[in-house]
Amino acid sequence: MTPVTPLKEVADIISEEGGEALRLCYQCGTCTAACPWNRVRDFVVRRIMHQGQLGITDFEDEEVWLCATCNNCVKRCPRGVEIIDVMRALRRVVTELGVAKVPDSLRLSIKNISGLGNPLGEPEERRADWARDLDVKLYTEGTELLYFPCCIPEYDPSVQKVARAMATILKRAGVDFGILGNRASCCGESVRKAGDEGVFQHLAQNNISSLTELGVKRIMVSSPHCYHTFKNEYPALGGSFSVVHATQYLLEIIKQGRLKLGKEVNLKVAYHDPCYLGRHNGIYEEPREVLRSIPGLELMELADHGEDSLCCGGGGGRIWMETKSGERFSDIRIEQALKLEADVLAVACPYCMLNLNDSVLTLDKGDAIKVRDITELVAEAL
Amino acid sequence: MGSEPRIGVYICHCGSNIAGTVDTEAVTEFARGLEAVVLARNYVFMCSEPGQEIIQIDIKELCLNRIVVAACSPTMHEATFRRVLEKAGINPYLIEIANIREHCSWVTEDRELATEKAKALVGAAVSRVYYHRPLETRRLPFTPATLVVGGGIAGIQAALEIADAGSPVYLVEREPSIGGHMIQLDKTFPTLDCSSCILTPKMTRVGSHPNIELLSLSRVEEVSGYIGNFRVKIRKKARYIDAEKCNGCGLCQEKCPIKTASEFDMGLGKRKAIYTPFAQAVPNIPVIDTEHCTYFLKGKCRLCEQVCERGAIDFEQQDEVVELEVGSAILASGFGIFDPTPIARYGYGRLNNVITSLEFERLVSSSGPTGGEITLKDGTTPRSVAIVHCVGSRDKNYHEYCSRVCCMYALKYAHLIKEKTAAEVYNYYIDMRCFGKGYEEFYERLSGEGVTFIRGKVGEITDQAGSNEEKGKLVVVAEDTLLGVLTRVPVDMVILCVALEPPPDVAAMARLFNISRSADGFFLERHPKLDPVATTTDGVFVVGCAQGPKDIPDTVAQASAAAARVLALISQGEVEIEAATAVVDERICSGCRYCIPICPYTAISFDEEKMVCQVNEALCKGCGACVGGCPSDAISLSHFTNEQIAAQMEGMLA
């Protein structure tokens, strides 16, 4: 056996980027037991932590790109190690020092985001096309609310219905809102997790400038990823805005009486807690309250719900990476929803929608279950 | 000696601690030039025998009547040098320490700066000591009785040691019987001694000791006073049994028709509404549980009264409050255990056969609800058991500390299960902490008994079967970190080794006795290494798990240590009171009473007749808060007078 010697410099770099909390890891293995990857393959999170402590990480290993940043391990870690930050640090080393290859599909998506502001590589001027016949105005100074849909609802044809549903609801409720249109670029949350700090900073500065120039005070987002970065990461870069997620805002206008839900939606609906709403930001009740406000709707709880929600697999930049068939968390999630005999699996995140829809298609369960965003369900009750 | 101050200044090198940075020769030369300084010297270790002798000889030969020692912090050696002055025949308060180590040589490497600062500090000390006046340390008589709070092994040991030495002890216990948690245990590690067998003789001795008054089913309600002179109010709750008449025959318990969950058996067994918690209870007098007794709830029954041949049942009995005078108190209030219900993925409270360590102790005890048979809820014997270490311990989300005893009792459980059943045993650990005498050997013994050790913190305990072998079982999910694989082991029973916590009333107790708690919630000792049983409140000691999780040998050692400290106080017969206390000038005091809430030691009281405030010198710690707070400037602090402080500042800035 070739003995291994710790590499102090590498350990230091990882510790610097991943936070000094990595030093606290006492190798208990809670993270490995918590990680959803171990339901479908081997992923020994604990070993990656110790390799990081010793500076002997194999940067060429595909393991560097597995973490979907679902936060299950971080929440349970008895020593408070910021495991997601460590994973991000490893990816930064690859991205910035070029010690290994960045997965192709990820590289392409980030290239698109960097050049055109969106992962699909679509033209910037087409960002507001989803709203063309809905009479949605651009945000100007003094508009009450900025609606920031996220690149996926804005550009992806299969998810545009979510943005359209929201616009319809806002108009019905008489909310004075606007969108950024082609002034918006990707919020950058997943880019940062995928290790490209440079592109993230660029995106954030771009967005912060636009938002500040327009005097934006309050932003409502459809994606928990946008929510997360606007709320928790932009302030350190000079952009402090009041952020609210779509489900929170919907509950607000329902309670204020501005939005009336009169039509019955007689469906059995299981709610899938998104990692970035639930575990990352503690928002569990509001989405459920919105669903309960829809007349005729029966709310069901999946196994692995709430704090234990099973990640769809889309976080950490993995939405832009290949996941082998048979290793997809979203497949397991669809099976869980089918077991409950739910009509609808309700989501509150565009990435969850993409992944879960994909699973429904590949598992060929389109007749048995539908994936809908909460926004869509609310729109059905108008 | 004369009344003119004649000052001797001594600069210590402290080896190289001071002299390595401060130019001690220069400071000595500087000191020689100060007003009223008769001589200045420097020496390598002033606190040593020869160093102390130098001072003594100089005092005698040169008629010095004020001393300045420039050295380490006064917390280190002010007491040492005060004794030197006493031996030399002058008042111990005529000395001032200049801290040129912790405040000077230890905070900079710059020689020039350090020397300049040392000179300033010495100058300040010299100016100040000029205005020192002799003060008398007063002595107060010490009440030889001791209060021991808590009747577990810690309290029992302390009480017996003090009582055997001939001094009276009041032992207050919250439960109907003494014995604490130790009497709930089956065997004790590493010797596997039967816990009751080694504890009950001590309990009996306590119950019959002429010097111990046992107040069971009682709580401390009020504490006032100070070391040597505490006054405590104890509430003796009503048992509804006349202790004088009861002979412990047990007939009332036998006949009582009401059964309810037994707290002693952790809810696994039953007791009656009139009950003694366990058969060897001391005192062996039952108590009526008014929340379940039919008479107290509905006014009916009274069966116990009918069958009692001694007429000992007294439904009209009231609580009794007694006032005791004691000289010191030993807090031996023990521990509580962590409730693992919040750790949802461990399934405690939701899944059958996931139990805590204390519950297992009762299960495996011959005096327990199953007579010592290890059974599942349905009465069958488990064929496999998982023992989970570190539940609620070593975990930022619950308790950061290690509970110290769990690795050892986990091994004990593994042994007992192997002994009594043919079950497979799996211990899930992060580290094996076997630090005591015979402990590592015990671990080796257990390894030899065929127990499977899996290094990994358990992630989940689930009843969701993933395969046929897992159906109907509890599946323990954990990474085996030594192999780097995730493991799933189906078992019948899971024992959670839960953290030891301070008992629920710890905050109230700390307030009553005016002591602090450390960050982990347990009572705070005076010094973690050198003074583990004393607290910052003189006369109040903490022992056993009340101070922090520990095993029985360490508990007994601490109890004996505290007993020794108390006996030392008792044998001295008096207690020395710090002379630097606050004094109210009654001519100036307007009686506004602003000072009273300011005092953190409740040392100030208001004299209704004279309409002025007065300081209790025994309680006063000389903190000076009242001096600063008095709007009339009516309070002064001996040894910290305005004159002395002003002189100190002038000397520093000269």
Side-chain angles (χ1 to χ4, degrees):
Chain A
M1 181 194 294
T2 318
V4 160
T5 308
L7 290 165
K8 189 78 184 11
E9 289 127 12
V10 179
D12 284 344
I13 294 173
I14 296 172
S15 173
E16 251 173 61
E17 303 304 345
E20 291 178 354
L22 174 58
R23 300 182 196 167
L24 297 176
C25 171
Y26 63 15
Q27 292 289 290
C28 70
T30 296
C31 49
T32 307
C35 182
W37 274 111
N38 288 303
R39 299 192 196 203
V40 297
R41 58 165 280 169
D42 292 342
F43 186 43
V44 188
V45 184
R46 174 205 49 83
R47 185 163 52 212
I48 297 181
M49 293 302 114
H50 194 46
Q51 287 169 335
Q53 287 175 325
L54 297 178
I56 56 171
T57 309
D58 180 2
F59 290 102
E60 290 176 349
D61 198 315
E62 57 158 359
E63 284 193 333
V64 170
W65 305 96
L66 280 184
C67 177
T69 71
C70 77
N71 220 29
N72 213 18
C73 55
V74 176
K75 275 238 166 254
R76 299 187 193 178
C77 174
R79 274 282 173 96
V81 178
E82 298 292 345
I83 297 160
I84 291 180
D85 286 346
V86 176
M87 296 296 184
R88 184 165 64 84
L90 301 181
R91 295 165 179 188
R92 276 192 73 169
V93 170
V94 173
T95 305
E96 290 168 20
L97 301 178
V99 297
K101 227 169 143 274
V102 175
D104 284 332
S105 54
L106 176 66
R107 202 161 37 83
L108 179 62
S109 301
I110 296 184
K111 181 157 155 288
N112 287 337
I113 291 173
S114 176
L116 295 161
N118 71 89
L120 285 83
E122 294 287 320
E124 287 160 310
E125 50 281 8
R126 313 244 332 248
R127 185 178 278 270
D129 278 8
W130 64 271
R132 69 184 148 253
D133 58 337
L134 289 175
D135 189 27
V136 170
K137 67 174 186 189
L138 287 176
Y139 187 96
T140 51
E141 181 138 17
T143 311
E144 185 192 328
L145 182 75
L146 173 72
Y147 174 42
F148 191 95
C150 159
C151 303
I152 301 299
E154 287 194 300
Y155 282 108
D156 189 313
S158 67
V159 188
Q160 279 174 336
K161 53 201 172 101
V162 176
R164 291 172 68 80
M166 179 56 89
T168 309
I169 291 170
L170 293 175
K171 282 198 154 306
R172 182 71 70 91
V175 176
D176 173 29
F177 77 99
I179 58 174
L180 284 180
N182 61 9
R183 288 191 74 165
S185 43
C186 171
C187 69
E189 183 275 325
S190 294
V191 174
R192 189 177 224 188
K193 298 288 197 306
D196 205 325
E197 185 68 19
V199 171
F200 169 75
Q201 293 279 339
H202 177 75
L203 292 166
Q205 285 312 327
N206 200 35
N207 279 332
I208 291 172
S209 305
S210 303
L211 294 166
T212 312
E213 266 168 49
L214 289 166
V216 172
K217 296 283 184 299
R218 197 169 191 220
I219 311 175
M220 188 264 288
V221 294
S222 279
S223 172
H225 294 267
C226 303
Y227 178 89
H228 183 79
T229 196
F230 287 159
K231 183 151 192 289
N232 302 313
E233 297 178 319
Y234 275 37
L237 300 170
S240 281
F241 308 97
S242 167
V243 201
V244 68
H245 182 258
T247 53
Q248 294 177 306
Y249 191 71
L250 288 172
L251 187 63
E252 203 181 294
I253 53 178
I254 290 173
K255 281 190 168 159
Q256 285 170 350
R258 288 163 87 179
L259 184 66
K260 306 231 191 291
L261 304 176
K263 218 158 102 192
E264 280 205 358
V265 177
N266 292 311
L267 292 169
K268 297 208 305 234
V269 176
Y271 173 58
H272 162 78
D273 292 276
C275 301
Y276 274 82
L277 217 51
R279 267 189 300 271
H280 277 281
N281 286 290
I283 298 170
Y284 299 103
E285 270 315 301
E286 285 113 309
R288 289 175 165 80
E289 280 193 62
V290 172
L291 289 169
R292 281 188 216 114
S293 311
I294 298 176
L297 189 146
E298 184 190 329
L299 176 61
M300 310 171 91
E301 291 293 354
L302 295 158
D304 300 331
H305 63 270
E307 231 183 25
D308 295 323
S309 179
L310 174 61
C311 176
C312 75
R318 288 206 61 81
I319 194 68
W320 305 311
M321 298 188 231
E322 253 314 300
T323 306
K324 294 196 218 36
S325 172
E327 289 188 3
R328 297 174 187 163
F329 311 156
S330 44
D331 285 0
I332 302 177
R333 202 49 155 168
I334 295 300
E335 297 292 349
Q336 287 182 347
L338 291 170
K339 201 150 164 221
L340 276 184
E341 293 183 359
D343 300 313
V344 169
L345 179 56
V347 298
C349 168
Y351 291 174
C352 293
M353 168 147 277
L354 286 176
N355 271 359
L356 290 166
N357 246 343
D358 203 63
S359 286
V360 169
L361 288 172
T362 51
L363 293 173
D364 195 18
K365 297 288 180 191
D367 295 330
I369 189 133
K370 308 270 184 289
V371 180
R372 293 277 181 274
D373 191 288
I374 292 184
T375 315
E376 294 179 84
L377 293 167
V378 169
E380 277 183 51
L382 288 177
Chain B
M1 283 264 174
S3 54
E4 266 310 303
R6 291 172 60 79
I7 305 173
V9 181
Y10 299 86
I11 318 288
C12 184
H13 297 193
C14 194
S16 63
N17 280 310
I18 294 174
T21 314
V22 171
D23 183 347
T24 46
E25 216 20 85
V27 179
T28 314
E29 193 48 47
F30 167 80
R32 282 189 193 116
L34 296 173
E35 195 188 321
V37 170
V38 172
L39 95 149
R41 292 186 200 279
N42 61 76
Y43 182 65
V44 62
F45 290 112
M46 284 310 306
C47 57
S48 63
E49 270 281 336
Q52 293 183 37
E53 270 208 47
I54 294 173
I55 301 179
Q56 278 190 62
I57 294 173
D58 283 348
I59 289 175
K60 294 207 176 97
E61 292 188 352
L62 297 166
C63 299
L64 302 177
N65 56 22
R66 300 284 189 281
I67 304 293
V68 166
V69 175
C72 53
S73 162
T75 20
M76 300 294 294
H77 286 305
E78 184 170 55
T80 312
F81 291 114
R82 280 185 182 171
R83 277 194 293 275
V84 170
L85 266 63
E86 269 185 311
K87 273 195 269 193
I90 61 173
N91 186 282
Y93 286 85
L94 298 174
I95 181 173
E96 176 70 4
I97 308 289
N99 183 346
I100 60 171
R101 191 181 77 171
E102 282 86 338
H103 284 187
C104 189
S105 69
W106 272 4
V107 296
T108 182
E109 285 167 359
D110 185 324
R111 280 193 72 91
E112 250 188 68
L113 272 180
T115 307
E116 283 315 297
K117 182 168 181 181
K119 288 182 188 170
L121 289 170
V122 168
V126 166
S127 298
R128 190 196 207 279
V129 84
Y130 188 95
Y131 292 101
H132 279 203
R133 298 280 169 269
L135 293 174
E136 293 310 312
T137 40
R138 284 144 313 107
R139 294 178 160 78
L140 294 177
F142 191 96
T143 309
T146 309
L147 176 72
V148 176
V149 182
I153 179 61
I156 288 171
Q157 182 71 21
L160 284 174
E161 299 237 10
I162 297 172
D164 283 347
S167 292
V169 176
Y170 299 104
L171 179 54
V172 176
E173 166 56 49
R174 161 185 84 193
E175 299 296 322
S177 165
I178 55 175
H181 282 300
M182 188 175 166
I183 199 69
Q184 286 179 299
L185 310 181
D186 176 44
K187 304 269 196 303
T188 55
F189 59 78
T191 51
L192 299 174
D193 277 305
C194 156
S195 187
S196 303
C197 305
I198 57 178
L199 183 57
T200 46
K202 286 191 191 262
M203 286 167 57
T204 313
R205 286 202 63 219
V206 166
S208 59
H209 203 296
N211 287 335
I212 300 180
E213 187 177 325
L214 175 55
L215 297 95
S216 57
L217 204 64
S218 304
R219 288 198 186 240
V220 179
E221 263 195 356
E222 228 179 83
V223 178
S224 62
Y226 47 91
I227 179 176
N229 295 279
F230 287 109
R231 251 192 319 284
V232 250
K233 277 201 187 134
I234 311 287
R235 174 176 292 270
K236 296 167 68 170
K237 295 192 63 63
R239 298 181 103 99
Y240 308 100
I241 314 283
D242 185 338
E244 305 290 311
K245 297 192 181 146
C246 173
N247 65 359
C249 73
L251 206 53
C252 52
Q253 277 193 80
E254 215 186 288
K255 299 295 181 192
C256 173
I258 303 298
K259 281 201 185 138
T260 183
S262 161
E263 296 86 350
F264 183 76
D265 276 340
M266 303 302 293
L268 297 177
K270 297 249 184 265
R271 60 159 172 84
K272 300 296 183 70
I274 182 171
Y275 70 106
T276 50
F278 51 94
Q280 301 77 27
V282 172
N284 192 16
I285 302 169
V287 62
I288 296 182
D289 170 10
T290 58
E291 292 183 16
H292 290 94
C293 166
T294 313
Y295 172 74
F296 281 98
L297 291 174
K298 301 183 204 161
K300 301 200 180 128
C301 185
R302 303 178 84 128
L303 193 53
C304 49
E305 196 184 34
Q306 289 169 35
V307 301
C308 178
E309 292 162 354
R310 314 265 302 188
I313 310 291
D314 175 9
F315 291 115
E316 310 307 315
Q317 195 179 76
Q318 299 293 318
D319 290 353
E320 193 192 330
V321 178
V322 298
E323 261 201 47
L324 305 171
E325 282 178 13
V326 296
S328 50
I330 298 180
L331 305 186
S333 36
F335 63 92
I337 56 166
F338 170 70
D339 174 3
T341 310
I343 310 183
R345 58 195 182 283
Y346 281 4
Y348 180 76
R350 177 175 48 92
L351 300 171
N352 277 339
N353 300 308
V354 177
I355 61 176
T356 63
S357 39
L358 263 188
E359 287 169 349
F360 184 75
E361 292 282 356
R362 294 315 304 150
L363 206 55
V364 81
S365 269
S366 49
S367 64
T370 62
E373 295 288 315
I374 300 174
T375 62
L376 300 174
K377 257 208 162 102
D378 62 7
T380 60
T381 309
R383 279 156 303 160
S384 48
V385 182
I387 303 175
V388 182
H389 297 218
C390 303
V391 177
S393 304
R394 302 187 69 190
D395 192 334
K396 254 193 154 66
N397 301 307
Y398 305 104
H399 296 296
E400 273 195 60
Y401 54 82
C402 164
S403 291
R404 198 171 168 111
V405 296
C406 327
C407 278
M408 287 310 298
Y409 73 59
L411 289 175
K412 178 184 79 174
Y413 295 168
H415 171 81
L416 292 172
I417 295 167
K418 282 284 182 194
E419 199 182 55
K420 296 193 173 195
T421 72
E424 284 303 315
V425 179
Y426 303 90
N427 278 62
Y428 290 85
Y429 68 99
I430 307 175
D431 293 290
M432 284 306 295
R433 297 189 158 177
C434 310
F435 53 91
K437 188 161 182 172
Y439 288 13
E440 183 65 27
E441 294 87 335
F442 190 65
Y443 178 25
E444 190 179 332
R445 171 182 177 176
L446 255 303
S447 306
E449 288 180 10
V451 172
T452 303
F453 288 93
I454 298 180
R455 189 197 180 269
K457 188 168 158 81
V458 169
E460 191 187 351
I461 297 163
T462 176
D463 59 354
Q464 303 296 302
S467 66
N468 270 330
E469 294 83 47
E470 292 182 1
K471 284 208 166 78
K473 299 276 202 184
L474 294 170
V475 183
V476 181
V477 183
E479 184 196 349
D480 179 325
T481 68
L482 299 177
L483 290 176
V485 298
L486 202 57
T487 65
R488 281 177 75 96
V489 178
V491 296
D492 294 321
M493 175 192 270
V494 177
I495 305 171
L496 303 176
C497 298
V498 286
L500 268 54
E501 295 179 333
D505 59 354
V506 66
M509 281 274 282
R511 263 197 306 276
L512 268 179
F513 286 92
N514 199 20
I515 58 175
S516 313
R517 295 153 65 202
S518 36
D520 55 18
F522 294 94
F523 293 134
L524 183 63
E525 62 289 319
R526 183 173 273 220
H527 190 283
K529 292 200 176 300
L530 299 179
D531 210 348
V533 297
T535 64
T536 44
T537 300
D538 294 331
V540 178
F541 300 89
V542 289
V543 296
C545 287
Q547 182 258 349
K550 57 179 65 71
D551 52 18
I552 294 166
D554 287 350
T555 298
V556 170
Q558 272 196 348
S560 301
R565 296 287 286 269
V566 165
L567 289 168
L569 291 171
I570 293 174
S571 77
Q572 282 166 12
E574 340 175 274
V575 63
E576 227 179 69
I577 305 296
E578 167 72 44
T581 54
V583 160
V584 176
D585 188 336
E586 296 183 3
R587 298 167 301 175
I588 309 176
C589 174
S590 66
C592 73
R593 283 166 275 185
Y594 196 62
C595 53
I596 294 182
I598 293 179
C599 177
Y601 303 99
T602 46
I604 307 183
S605 57
F606 184 65
D607 184 326
E608 301 280 351
E609 278 182 31
K610 293 193 206 166
M611 296 292 279
V612 293
C613 283
Q614 287 168 336
V615 176
N616 178 330
E617 294 164 329
L619 284 174
C620 174
K621 294 268 190 193
C623 76
C626 58
V627 177
C630 175
S632 315
D633 203 12
I635 312 184
S636 59
L637 188 57
S638 305
H639 208 55
F640 290 90
T641 61
N642 291 342
E643 199 179 40
Q644 288 162 349
I645 295 177
Q648 193 172 12
M649 291 195 288
E650 277 180 30
M652 187 169 297
L653 299 169

